[in-house]
Every structure is written in C-alpha cells, then in structure tokens.
Amino acid sequence: MTDRPSAGGTPEGGDLERLFGRRFALVGMIHLLPLPGSPRFTPERGMAAVIRQATDEARVLVDAGFDGLVIENAWDIPFLKPDDIGPETPAAMAVVAAEVARTVGVPLGINCLANAVDRSLAVAAAAGARFVRSNQWVNAYVANEGLVEGRAGRMVRYRRAIGADHVTVWADVHVKLGSHAITADRSLAEQAKDATWFDADALIVTGTRLGDAPLTEHLRTIRAATDLPLVVGSGARVDNLGDIFAYADGAIVGSAVKIGGVWHGRVDRDVCERMCASRDVLEKETEEAAAADSQLRTTTDSKMTRPSTPSSTYP
C-alpha cells in the first residue's frame, strides 16, 4: 500500500494497464536527432530530418506491436541542467511530438534532458502526450551535468498551472549515469517511498549505464516498497523479459531494438517484432496462470463453505 495522502484532483497513479490496455506494456524510445540550439544540430538538414527520423522509427515500433513511445532529445549532447535549457528545445520537441502523434495512435511520453520536467510537461500539454519522465523527481544526485536536484514541488504546481493534471509523471529511482553518494544513507526502498510520497505516478528502475538491466534485487525491493506501477527504464531485451515482467508492469526499450544494440543505431524491425512476440507469450502465460489460480481459489472456497449433508436419522 502507498503511504501518500489522496492527491485530490491529480492523476490516479498512472495505471499502465489503464493507459495501454494490456498487462505488460512495451514503450519504445525515440532518440531525436540534434535539435536547434544543440552543438550537433545541422541547419542544412533542419527540422525536416528530425521529424522524418522520428516518424519513421515510430511507425516501425508501433507496427511491430509496441504500445507507446517516449520522445527524448538524446542527441542534444552535452546536456544542460534544467534552468539552462532555452525555449528552442521544447518548441522543437513539441513540433516533433505532434507529428509523431499524427503518425501513430499510441500514448506518447516526453523526456527533455536533463531532468527538465517543466519543459517536458509543456511539450506534453501542447502535443497531447500522456506522460513525462523525470530522471530525478526527489532528493538529488550527481550526474554528468553536475548536481541535479529533485523538482517535484515546483513541477506539480507548474502542471496544475498549465492545466496538465492529466499528464502523469514517471519518476526514476536511483537513475543510471550518475553518483548517488548523496543519498547513500537512504535505502532503495526509502527512495522509492520518497518519490511515491511526492506524487510520482509511476516509478522507473534502471541499471547503471545505457543498456544495462536493473538488478533483480532492485526490482524486488522497489516492487515491495510501493503499489505504484513499476517500469524498467534500461536493459530490457528479448532474452530477459521474463525476469523483468516478474516484477515490472512495463519496460521502456531503446538500445536493445537498435542495430548493433546501441542507442544511436537505427531501429531493427526484426528485433522489435521478436520482442513483442516474446511479450505476448509471457502475457498469455501470466493470464492463464492467474485464471487457473482464480479457479482453484473458487473451488477451494466452495468446498470450505459447503453445508454438511443432513443426517437421515431423526431422534
């Protein structure tokens, strides 16, 4: 059970099954080409190239069976801290997100790096996305960009101010690519409860670097600490989906479905299809096991409550 108070008018927990219409959700990651204002942006190619890459990859992922997509400015390296990000970045992301939304009819998420949750919320509100990712929702850690602090208090107020309470927040717990020495005296379970208490709608668990799967013990710990939906944010592959969905409700997949297994590769249609087929099998097996367990419980309860046969001998 969660220990946070009722959120009133805010979203009801970001239920993945309600959002995606299935037990195990696969969410594909679209790593956008460099955007205007970033060092690698090429004006000669312009936004047309960014939009073309994003919509082409969206089609491949959704046609293969992915249930949703996250749009991320992954090529805007080196990333800026949130307050240093100019208006050109969310403006460009909103244009791309709107085009992707018109191209495919699945729920979209936004992640404006690094941890620029207000920019992500603005993009989501403008383009009709359903959720945003926050790499550091509460507490703090040391990332490549420097000290990154949790922004929950400001962000939930900003979300309310722009009329975007329908946009849910998926918050990382102990996110990859950084040092967590600042919170070393707080257990993983406590950090998960912190994010829950500060109105995250779903929790994300990752490995230590891009493409690394989270430790099973971390999945187990966070699953036990909160009743919020749990999403794996890195390292999901065709061969480990069973281990992941033993605890998680969904997985964000990027590197594993790219040619060469690297985040900057092109999407591999064959791998996408194999991953979705593997998920479908796991989902069917889970549903059949649940149905069998329910039937067994019903039969057992029936036997326990059945009245005894009256005796045919009367005094």
Side-chain angles (χ1 to χ4, degrees):
M1 293 290 291
T2 180
D3 57 359
R4 74 176 177 186
S6 171
T10 55
E12 298 178 0
D15 184 346
L16 266 68
E17 193 164 353
R18 174 165 49 86
L19 179 60
F20 297 110
R22 67 184 314 147
R23 176 66 183 84
F24 298 141
L26 286 177
V27 180
M29 176 66 77
I30 295 180
H31 301 104
L32 296 180
L33 294 177
L35 300 178
S38 68
R40 291 174 172 81
F41 177 67
T42 53
E44 297 78 15
R45 300 177 66 190
M47 282 295 296
V50 179
I51 293 169
R52 183 167 55 252
Q53 172 257 355
T55 53
D56 286 350
E57 292 194 355
R59 289 190 189 94
V60 173
L61 289 160
V62 173
D63 288 348
F66 275 73
D67 308 293
L69 303 169
V70 174
I71 296 172
E72 180 181 274
N73 57 325
W75 268 109
D76 285 359
I77 306 167
F79 303 124
L80 292 167
K81 295 175 74 171
D83 292 338
D84 295 328
I85 295 173
E88 67 280 357
T89 300
M93 293 185 73
V95 169
V96 179
E99 289 295 331
V100 170
R102 277 192 283 269
T103 301
V104 295
V106 299
L108 299 182
I110 306 296
N111 188 20
C112 184
L113 298 168
N115 204 43
V117 184
D118 49 356
R119 275 69 163 175
S120 295
L121 285 167
V123 172
R130 302 290 298 278
F131 61 95
V132 299
R133 180 175 184 175
S134 172
N135 299 123
Q136 192 69 26
W137 185 241
V138 294
N139 303 319
Y141 82 121
V142 180
N144 300 140
E145 303 82 39
L147 179 64
V148 177
E149 297 183 69
R151 297 162 63 81
R154 288 174 58 190
M155 295 305 102
V156 293
R157 288 165 174 79
Y158 178 73
R159 179 173 64 178
R160 172 58 62 89
I162 65 171
D165 277 345
H166 60 285
V167 178
T168 57
V169 174
W170 296 14
D172 280 274
V173 177
H174 211 264
V175 69
K176 61 183 181 284
L177 298 174
S179 169
H180 295 275
I182 295 173
T183 53
D185 61 338
R186 295 185 61 76
S187 70
L188 198 61
E190 288 175 325
Q191 293 180 53
K193 291 177 180 179
D194 289 345
T196 302
W197 178 255
F198 268 25
D199 284 346
D201 299 297
L203 301 184
I204 299 175
V205 58
T206 68
T208 57
R209 296 200 65 82
L210 296 173
D212 288 353
L215 297 175
T216 300
E217 180 59 31
H218 287 180
L219 284 169
R220 185 184 298 116
T221 296
I222 295 176
R223 177 76 289 164
T226 176
D227 60 3
L228 290 184
L230 182 60
V231 179
V232 165
S234 70
R237 305 183 306 273
V238 174
D239 63 355
N240 69 356
L241 281 184
D243 297 332
I244 284 172
F245 286 135
Y247 301 98
D249 305 291
I252 300 172
V253 187
S255 301
V257 292
K258 299 293 187 71
I259 294 174
V262 293
W263 69 268
H264 47 82
R266 295 185 63 82
V267 172
D268 188 321
R269 184 184 300 272
D270 178 63
V271 176
C272 290
E273 291 175 348
R274 287 194 286 116
M275 177 165 282
C276 291
S278 178
R279 182 274 312 276
D280 292 347
V281 170
L282 288 168
E283 199 170 60
K284 182 178 180 181
E285 291 174 349
T286 300
E287 291 170 352
E288 289 175 347
D293 182 65
S294 177
Q295 180 61 40
L296 178 61
R297 290 176 182 273
T298 300
T299 302
T300 301
D301 291 345
S302 176
K303 289 180 178 179
M304 292 178 65
T305 58
R306 183 181 300 162
S308 58
T309 304
S311 172
S312 59
T313 304
Y314 292 90

